[in-house]
């Protein structure tokens, strides 16, 4: 979490840094700050709250200079306060750093530095790192040419933990030093200017030429260019690439919130996930990025899907889809659990790590653990330049475009459709007939129009949200393929409205959850016309018998549902294996409208950040 932007060039740094921070605000937004170097020395402004607070402070105290660093924070160590905000300075007040990550041994280092006479103003791990770099800087001869670079490298050799960081020092005014371990850092290269940032969105408006630092890289930038070193003596240079990134993709256009924009983009993002991946002639899918031979695909006899949050829920949908269409046993595990336990996997088990950002610490931990044990790990991910994309043996990109809203929406449906493609591929290599393959392809191709039909009900869904706006608690129920959707619907509701919400397998209702049912607690039932319809109807009646309001997500044309539910949202009729991709959309809209009605900060809900890069 946390976002970093740094600039060294011939323009004023402050407006460029502020613009970059606004694009990175999804990474954390409880405080932010900027430090610049100019002829007058190091100047710094930092503020608790959203970036607007920093902008306001800068309006009355502008910072001038063409070298600067900046940061938007998601607190890990120390409360969200002005003083704990980044940049942090060393004891001399001449060195400033911005940092994304966690210094695990900061307690020990702090004690050692305190014994040397250093004192600390904040509760953060980052200040300890700043003081440590400052200590090394001050012990080096003042004539040392690479003094800041050497001080940063010395300090990093003493720490355990993760970092993407940038340091500047008043006594070396034309230099900034960046380093990475575990947290992303991108070098943006423009004519007469360089950027360092947590992700390309912060630099894309200024340069399309970028290089992603690797773990243990240290880059020193001055007015003539950059120089790369590595803490592990890795001699490889940086791989420079051109990014295909439209700044407009991260702009709102006519939508009031990114979440609504991204919900509506799903007609397109689904098509992007499928484009070029259907083999109509053979009635199968083609997924070249898997880097597996047909024989290797045939030999897979078990799949473990891992991820966090919404990505994990898409994995639960994937489990049902793959097992029902390809008959390959699948297990789904929270990445945070999988990484710590000793799962008995064998040679023919394929591990799939799912992540929109490709930077989620627990998902990366799970993938590294699986690879350490010799397993092949594939990724399903959106961020092409992410750590997950680089560390997996192959995978499938989502091509959903930037997902800015903290609440994941379009990434979920793209992940689910990729599981469908994978199931089609695996199934056609086993027992699915060409006719069955064709039916699946037709169902996939029908999705964009069906999603459009659902989106047309946005106003109706808003009226349901109005009706239940006073609810303190909600329950979401689904069976089989819809169970993951119940969890996802509850997650969306709680994360952006702060209403307590729980998702459960429908039949569990009777085993305890029914005690929560009362007239003020709406229950959302996912009950398309499938094999479980009658059972679901019974469960809805059990809730209504206890005066609990029932909202049903049901199949268009289902007349019977009116007997079981107070409010109904329809999805088009579709084969069972695609209904989760449809039924999730009303729940995204339900949570969205409820959050707007309640006046919540939809795109930046409290306490959250888009990319969870801490364990
Ligand atoms: C929920 C949400 C989170 C993420 C989770 C994993 O709306 O956004 O639960 O799904 O933090 O993130 P990625 O997919 O980036 O690994």
């Amino acid at each position: 979490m946390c976002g970093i932007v740094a600039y060294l060039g011939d323009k004023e740094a402050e407006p460029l840094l502020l613009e970059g921070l606004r694009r990175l605000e999804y990474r954390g937004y409880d405080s932010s700050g900027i430090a610049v170097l100019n002829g007058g020395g190091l100047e710094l402004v930092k503020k608790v709250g959203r970036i607007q607070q920093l902008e306001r402070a800068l309006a009355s105290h502008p910072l001038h200079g063409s070298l600067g660093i900046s940061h938007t924070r998601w607190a890990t160590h120390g409360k969200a306060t002005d003083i704990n905000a980044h940049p942090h300075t060393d004891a001399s007040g001449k060195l400033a750093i911005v940092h994304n990550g966690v210094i695990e041994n900061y307690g020990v280092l702090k004690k050692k530095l305190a014994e040397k006479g250093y004192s600390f103003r904040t509760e953060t791990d980052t200040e300890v790192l700043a003081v440590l770099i400052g200590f090394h800087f001050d012990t080096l001869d003042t004539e040392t040419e690479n003094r800041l670079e050497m001080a940063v490298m010395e300090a990093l050799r003493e720490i355990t933990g993760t970092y993407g960081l940038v340091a500047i020092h008043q006594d070396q005014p034309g230099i900034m030093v960046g380093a990475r371990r575990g947290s992303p850092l991108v070098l943006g290269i423009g004519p007469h200017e360089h950027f360092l940032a947590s992700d390309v969105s912060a630099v894309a408006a200024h340069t399309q030429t970028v290089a992603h630092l690797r773990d243990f890289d240290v880059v020193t930038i001055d007015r003539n260019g950059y120089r790369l070193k590595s803490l592990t003596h890795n001699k490889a240079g940086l791989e420079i690439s051109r990014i295909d990134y439209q700044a407009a993709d991260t702009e709102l256009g006519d939508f009031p919130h990114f979440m609504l924009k991204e919900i509506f983009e799903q007609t397109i993002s689904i098509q992007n996930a499928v484009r070029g991946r259907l083999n109509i002639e053979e009635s199968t899918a083609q997924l070249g990025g898997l880097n597996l031979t047909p024989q290797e695909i045939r030999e897979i006899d078990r799949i473990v899907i891992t991820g966090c949050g919404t990505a994990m829920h898409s994995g639960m949908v994937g489990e049902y889809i793959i097992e029902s269409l390809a008959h390959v046993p699948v297990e789904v595990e929270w990445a945070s659990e999988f990484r710590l336990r000793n799962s008995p996997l064998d040679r023919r088990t394929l591990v799939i790590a799912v992540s929109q950002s490709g930077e989620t610490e627990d998902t990366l931990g799970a993938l590294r653990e699986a690879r350490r044990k010799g397993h092949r790990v594939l990724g399903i991910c959106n961020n092409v330049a992410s750590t997950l994309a680089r560390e997996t043996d192959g995978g499938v990109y989502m091509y959903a475009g930037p997902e800015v809203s903290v609440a994941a929406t379009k990434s979920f449906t793209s992940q689910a459709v990729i599981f469908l493609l994978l199931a089609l591929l695996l199934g056609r290599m086993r027992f699915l007939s060409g006719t069955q393959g064709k039916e699946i392809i037709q169902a996939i191709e029908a999705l964009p129009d069906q999603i459009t039909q659902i989106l047309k009900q946005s106003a109706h869904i808003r009226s349901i949200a109005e009706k239940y706006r006073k609810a303190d608690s909600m329950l979401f129920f689904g069976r089989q393929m819809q169970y993951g959707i119940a969890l996802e619907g509850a997650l969306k509701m709680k994360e952006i409205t702060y209403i307590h919400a729980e998702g459960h397998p429908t039949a569990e209702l009777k085993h305890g959850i029914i005690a929560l049912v009362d007239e003020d607690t709406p229950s959302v039932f996912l009950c398309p016309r499938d094999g479980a319809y009658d059972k679901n109807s019974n469960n809805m009646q059990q809730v209504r018998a206890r005066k609990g309001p029932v909202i049903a997500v049901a199949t268009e044309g289902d007349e019977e549902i009116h007997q079981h539910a107070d409010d109904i949202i329809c999805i088009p009729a579709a084969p069972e294996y695609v209904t989760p991709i449809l039924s999730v959309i009303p729940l995204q809209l339900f949570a969205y409208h409820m959050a707007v009605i309640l006046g919540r900060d939809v795109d930046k809900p409290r306490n959250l950040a888009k990319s969870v890069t801490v364990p």
Side-chain angles (χ1 to χ4, degrees):
M1 356 263 284
C2 303
I4 292 173
V5 199
Y7 175 78
L8 199 175
D10 50 16
K11 301 189 188 114
E12 277 289 313
E14 186 198 293
L16 294 173
L17 296 177
L18 274 175
E19 182 198 327
L21 285 184
R22 273 183 233 111
R23 293 198 184 272
L24 293 185
E25 211 180 358
Y26 73 89
R27 299 180 67 88
Y29 37 79
D30 57 37
S31 53
S32 54
I34 290 189
V36 298
L37 278 180
N38 55 35
L42 181 76
E43 286 194 66
L44 191 149
V45 174
K46 46 193 202 171
K47 274 277 156 229
V48 69
R50 299 289 159 88
I51 285 163
Q52 291 96 302
Q53 305 300 119
L54 177 67
E55 283 176 83
R56 259 178 233 140
L58 285 165
S60 50
H61 181 246
L63 297 179
H64 296 290
S66 55
L67 193 175
I69 58 177
S70 65
H71 186 273
T72 178
R73 179 172 187 242
W74 187 86
T76 57
H77 295 70
K79 291 186 212 60
T81 58
D82 283 353
I83 187 115
N84 285 340
H86 296 219
H88 286 286
T89 50
D90 72 338
S92 72
K94 294 187 197 173
L95 171 133
I97 68 168
V98 286
H99 166 228
N100 166 207
V102 177
I103 309 300
E104 285 164 11
N105 60 339
Y106 84 105
V108 178
L109 294 170
K110 193 169 185 173
K111 197 157 164 260
K112 274 197 201 159
L113 288 163
E115 281 161 12
K116 290 191 206 304
Y118 289 95
S119 56
F120 297 85
R121 291 171 296 252
T122 79
E123 306 153 50
T124 65
D125 53 339
T126 302
E127 187 191 13
V128 177
L129 180 57
V131 172
L132 185 64
I133 299 173
F135 161 72
H136 285 293
F137 189 92
D138 292 339
T139 29
L140 287 163
D141 190 290
T142 51
E143 298 302 310
T144 310
E145 201 190 325
N146 310 327
R147 202 167 159 203
L148 182 57
E149 177 190 85
M150 284 173 73
V152 167
M153 291 179 83
E154 276 309 310
L156 294 183
R157 286 196 180 96
E158 288 181 54
I159 67 148
T160 51
T162 54
Y163 50 82
L165 72 89
V166 189
I168 56 176
H169 198 293
Q170 180 177 316
D171 292 347
Q172 286 215 293
I175 287 180
M176 63 185 184
V177 178
R180 168 200 161 130
R181 186 193 176 195
S183 303
L185 201 61
V186 181
L187 170 67
I189 306 163
H192 317 296
E193 62 187 5
H194 288 85
F195 295 82
L196 284 168
S198 301
D199 115 21
V200 292
S201 63
V203 306
H206 307 284
T207 176
Q208 308 264 295
T209 309
V210 299
H212 293 267
L213 267 66
R214 298 148 307 182
D215 279 349
F216 303 107
D217 280 348
V218 177
V219 66
T220 301
I221 300 170
D222 63 22
R223 301 212 176 261
N224 300 317
Y226 68 88
R227 181 182 58 232
L228 184 75
K229 290 197 175 161
S230 168
L231 287 161
T232 56
H233 309 293
N234 178 356
K235 292 254 182 321
L238 281 177
E239 206 176 296
I240 304 214
S241 54
R242 299 272 309 159
I243 44 167
D244 176 19
Y245 192 96
Q246 305 296 324
D249 288 350
T250 54
E251 275 154 26
L252 271 173
D254 292 335
F255 287 92
H257 299 101
F258 281 105
M259 183 176 177
L260 191 64
K261 177 179 182 235
E262 287 156 10
I263 291 172
F264 272 75
E265 275 172 1
Q266 289 176 107
T267 50
I268 310 283
S269 51
I270 288 272
Q271 293 179 62
N272 290 345
V274 172
R275 184 165 299 117
R277 290 171 170 163
L278 291 176
N279 180 340
I280 308 289
E281 241 162 60
E282 312 256 337
S283 303
T284 186
Q286 48 200 27
L287 299 170
L290 299 184
N291 296 334
L292 294 170
T293 63
Q295 192 50 34
E296 286 170 329
I297 296 177
R298 254 176 229 111
E299 279 170 9
I300 296 166
D301 67 2
R302 185 173 165 226
I303 295 176
V304 173
I305 301 173
T306 190
C308 303
T310 291
M312 165 73 186
H313 297 157
S314 83
M316 295 175 79
V317 170
E319 174 186 18
Y320 279 98
I321 294 178
I322 294 171
E323 289 193 345
S324 75
L325 295 181
H327 292 193
V328 177
V330 181
E331 280 157 59
V332 194
E333 277 219 51
W334 306 107
S336 52
E337 293 294 312
F338 180 79
R339 69 183 297 188
L340 296 181
R341 83 189 196 114
N342 193 2
S343 280
L345 311 181
D346 72 20
R347 221 168 37 79
R348 289 154 73 119
T349 302
L350 175 70
V351 176
I352 303 180
V354 191
S355 172
Q356 187 283 130
S357 63
E359 299 294 347
T360 300
E361 156 69 21
D362 280 322
T363 310
L364 294 177
L367 104 76
R368 286 172 187 149
E369 185 59 23
R371 292 198 79 206
R372 192 171 297 123
K373 289 178 175 148
H375 298 291
R376 195 189 288 269
V377 184
L378 300 184
I380 296 180
C381 127
N382 195 30
N383 182 357
V384 174
S386 62
T387 309
L388 183 134
R390 282 200 301 278
E391 292 194 13
T392 39
D393 300 294
V396 190
Y397 283 123
M398 291 153 55
Y399 298 127
E403 192 178 60
V404 177
S405 176
V406 164
T409 52
K410 63 177 177 175
S411 60
F412 178 88
T413 43
S414 296
Q415 287 155 5
V417 89
I418 288 169
F419 280 121
L420 195 50
L421 294 174
L422 193 60
L424 173 62
L425 177 70
L426 293 170
R428 286 286 289 132
M429 284 190 158
R430 288 167 169 78
F431 62 90
L432 275 184
S433 69
T435 318
Q436 288 168 312
K438 204 183 233 160
E439 279 166 15
I440 296 169
I441 290 179
Q442 282 165 355
I444 293 174
E445 287 178 330
L447 279 169
D449 284 346
Q450 292 173 327
I451 293 173
T452 306
Q453 291 307 313
I454 298 170
L455 294 173
K456 284 186 186 150
Q457 295 180 70
S458 182
H460 167 58
I461 296 170
R462 185 185 160 99
S463 69
I464 300 177
E466 282 282 359
K467 183 169 165 190
Y468 297 108
R469 62 184 299 167
K470 296 233 161 68
D472 290 327
S473 183
M474 289 194 198
L475 301 170
F476 290 75
F477 296 104
R479 284 176 196 260
Q480 306 279 299
M481 297 213 189
Q482 302 296 333
Y483 170 42
I485 304 303
L487 292 179
E488 179 59 9
L491 178 62
K492 288 291 90 87
M493 187 58 74
K494 61 190 140 196
E495 72 180 323
I496 62 167
T497 68
Y498 319 145
I499 293 174
H500 168 251
E502 297 182 6
H504 293 282
T506 311
E508 287 300 302
L509 173 69
K510 312 170 297 268
H511 302 286
I513 301 138
I514 202 161
L516 296 174
V517 169
D518 64 22
E519 55 200 0
D520 299 320
T521 305
S523 290
V524 180
F525 279 83
L526 293 145
C527 54
R529 271 278 175 192
D530 59 17
Y533 186 83
D534 290 341
K535 288 191 167 57
N536 286 333
S537 313
N538 288 337
N539 299 131
M540 287 187 271
Q541 290 304 346
Q542 288 154 7
V543 168
R544 292 185 96 198
R546 286 154 187 89
K547 300 205 174 89
V550 168
I551 303 164
V553 177
T555 307
E556 217 163 54
D558 176 3
E559 293 303 325
E560 189 189 326
I561 195 72
H562 295 272
Q563 300 166 26
H564 308 305
D566 301 279
D567 298 281
I568 298 155
I569 306 166
C570 289
I571 57 170
E576 200 169 339
Y577 48 80
V578 290
T579 48
I581 299 170
L582 301 174
S583 61
V584 74
I585 293 170
L587 303 193
Q588 296 170 345
L589 284 167
F590 187 39
Y592 169 78
H593 287 303
M594 188 65 91
V596 173
I597 290 164
L598 296 177
R600 306 294 189 229
D601 191 344
V602 175
D603 287 330
K604 297 189 191 80
R606 70 184 179 200
N607 302 342
L608 294 173
K610 182 80 181 153
S611 192
V612 184
T613 56
V614 292

